[in-house]
Amino acid sequence: MSEPAADAETFLAATDTIAALRPELSLLEAGILAGLHLGLTADSRSFARIFGVEHALVLRAVESLIAETLITVTARDGRTQRTRYEASPAGSAVLTALAA
């Protein structure tokens, strides 16, 4: 049997922890990192759908995380703008702090 997806409390706690570690990030940006850490989603379109956020807002937050060097793009669909991403080394360091 597979492990259940993280619940809302776990997601919110991870988001709050990331926001505390990196106060320059918006809550949406911290949430994207939390979703990545918890294995909930690794692309912009899925994040937007799961959390009920406009895809354009998620794309802006992803671009900001790229500029902060916390994530790297692994693929981008030119038609839909779906952006797949993973934690960069700097992002992995932030996410590792969640486990501590």
Side-chain angles (χ1 to χ4, degrees), residues 32 41-49 53-63 66 71-85:
I32 289 170
T41 181
D43 74 83
S44 61
R45 178 77 64 190
S46 295
F47 186 93
R49 182 181 44 77
V53 179
E54 291 294 326
H55 188 229
L57 295 175
V58 176
L59 287 173
R60 282 187 213 135
V62 165
E63 289 302 319
I66 293 167
I71 62 172
T72 56
V73 173
T74 58
R76 194 180 307 247
D77 184 304
R79 186 179 60 81
T80 65
Q81 296 301 304
R82 178 183 294 231
T83 302
R84 298 184 195 293
Y85 48 83

Side-chain angles (χ1 to χ4, degrees), residues 1-14:
M1 186 135 218
S2 66
E3 185 176 318
D7 62 16
E9 283 184 32
T10 304
F11 172 76
L12 291 173

Side-chain angles (χ1 to χ4, degrees), residues 1 17 31 36 39 42 51 67 75:
M1 186 135 218
T17 301
L36 187 60
F51 294 101

